[in-house]
Amino acid sequence: MQERAPKGTRIAHIGIALESIAPQVAFLRELIGMEDTAVADSDGARITAFAAGESLVELLEPEGSDTPIGRFIARRGPGIHHICFGVDNLEEAMARCRAAGLRLVDEVPRIGAEGKPIAFIHPAATGGVLVELTEN
Amino acid sequence: MQERAPKGTRIAHIGIALESIAPQVAFLRELIGMEDTAVADSDGARITAFAAGESLVELLEPEGSDTPIGRFIARRGPGIHHICFGVDNLEEAMARCRAAGLRLVDEVPRIGAEGKPIAFIHPAATGGVLVELTEN
């Protein structure tokens, strides 16, 4: 029995790595009218999230230099850290990735900042771009 | 007279800078089922685009090293280059940004890869993140 109508693949959220989120918060909230939404902190980062249509924008502040976001900023500067695609069936998408030889960071789904199952794909498998998958 | 219902701010597209788009194309098209969509090349980059719900993912290949995307890759490696937010009224959003002291790259809207008016905001104004605005 199908409980939810399929939505198709969509952008679930964009994660932006920043040392200081204030300029981006002011821009998103006051200048282009995005609405605050609550998500849990995750992976050593404080997360401030905004809703934009069917997607979220997550501002990621490192809780220390030895965290994934802290290392990203040290290496590359502030910027867009990852993109998370929502798919209708996460386990099936992960199985297709595995069958195609893609390296997964998370071999089994874990619960992400939005409280839904997620899995990261290794950036070496997608041309250097860090991609996360979640279930719609 | 209002011709279109307001949609609210949303993610119009994500631009990803890549030297070689093949792994990302295979992932988006074959593994998570995104659909090809046509957009024009722009700003010295070849663009291959996919639709994901109300947003697009644009893969940006530099046409040379002395292009914005070529310089981004040389400096930071492949990765997510910019985020484009769709707003209901571009001129009003630009006026709010100007009034708040944000530096705009495009002082007047120009036509972007999707054939709609766009304007880039200088990354110094948004914490180091390159943001584009377009009209819904």
Side-chain angles (χ1 to χ4, degrees):
Chain A
M1 191 176 71
Q2 179 127 21
E3 295 183 1
R4 295 169 299 180
K7 295 180 181 177
T9 300
R10 65 195 175 88
I11 296 178
H13 69 256
I14 298 294
I16 303 180
L18 296 163
E19 279 289 1
S20 166
I21 66 170
Q24 190 70 225
V25 166
F27 171 73
L28 296 176
R29 184 187 287 154
E30 293 157 29
L31 302 180
I32 63 169
M34 287 177 60
E35 295 193 0
D36 292 66
T37 187
V39 307
D41 292 343
S42 181
D43 290 333
R46 287 180 295 276
I47 306 182
T48 302
F50 293 86
E54 65 189 15
S55 307
L56 302 185
V57 174
E58 296 186 356
L59 307 183
L60 313 169
E61 288 176 284
E63 290 177 336
S65 55
D66 191 25
T67 59
I69 298 303
R71 288 190 292 269
F72 176 89
I73 292 173
R75 196 170 62 244
R76 304 186 44 151
I80 306 171
H81 177 258
H82 70 273
I83 182 168
C84 179
F85 293 109
V87 296
D88 287 328
N89 188 313
L90 177 60
E91 297 271 13
E92 283 180 12
M94 291 173 71
R96 285 194 297 275
C97 289
R98 258 188 226 104
L102 271 64
R103 181 175 158 199
L104 303 179
V105 174
D106 299 295
E107 285 291 341
V108 294
R110 61 187 171 97
I111 298 300
E114 294 175 56
K116 296 178 179 178
I118 62 117
F120 276 91
I121 299 168
H122 195 281
T126 47
V129 180
L130 182 59
V131 172
E132 178 182 357
L133 295 177
T134 190
E135 193 154 285
N136 284 332
Chain B
M1 190 176 73
Q2 179 127 23
E3 294 182 1
R4 294 170 300 178
K7 294 180 180 178
T9 300
R10 67 195 174 86
I11 297 177
H13 70 256
I14 298 294
I16 303 179
L18 295 163
E19 279 290 0
S20 166
I21 66 170
Q24 189 70 225
V25 167
F27 170 74
L28 297 176
R29 186 187 285 154
E30 293 158 28
L31 302 180
I32 63 169
M34 286 176 62
E35 295 192 0
D36 293 66
T37 187
V39 305
D41 293 343
S42 182
D43 289 334
R46 286 180 295 276
I47 307 182
T48 303
F50 293 86
E54 64 190 15
S55 307
L56 302 185
V57 174
E58 297 186 356
L59 308 183
L60 313 170
E61 290 175 283
E63 290 179 334
S65 55
D66 191 26
T67 60
I69 299 303
R71 289 190 293 269
F72 176 90
I73 293 172
R75 196 170 62 244
R76 306 185 42 149
I80 306 171
H81 177 259
H82 70 273
I83 181 167
C84 179
F85 293 108
V87 295
D88 286 327
N89 188 312
L90 177 60
E91 297 269 14
E92 284 180 11
M94 290 172 73
R96 284 193 298 276
C97 290
R98 259 188 226 103
L102 270 64
R103 181 175 158 198
L104 303 179
V105 175
D106 299 295
E107 286 291 340
V108 293
R110 59 187 172 98
I111 298 300
E114 294 175 56
K116 295 178 181 177
I118 63 118
F120 276 91
I121 298 168
H122 195 281
T126 47
V129 180
L130 182 58
V131 172
E132 179 183 358
L133 295 177
T134 190
E135 193 154 286
N136 284 332

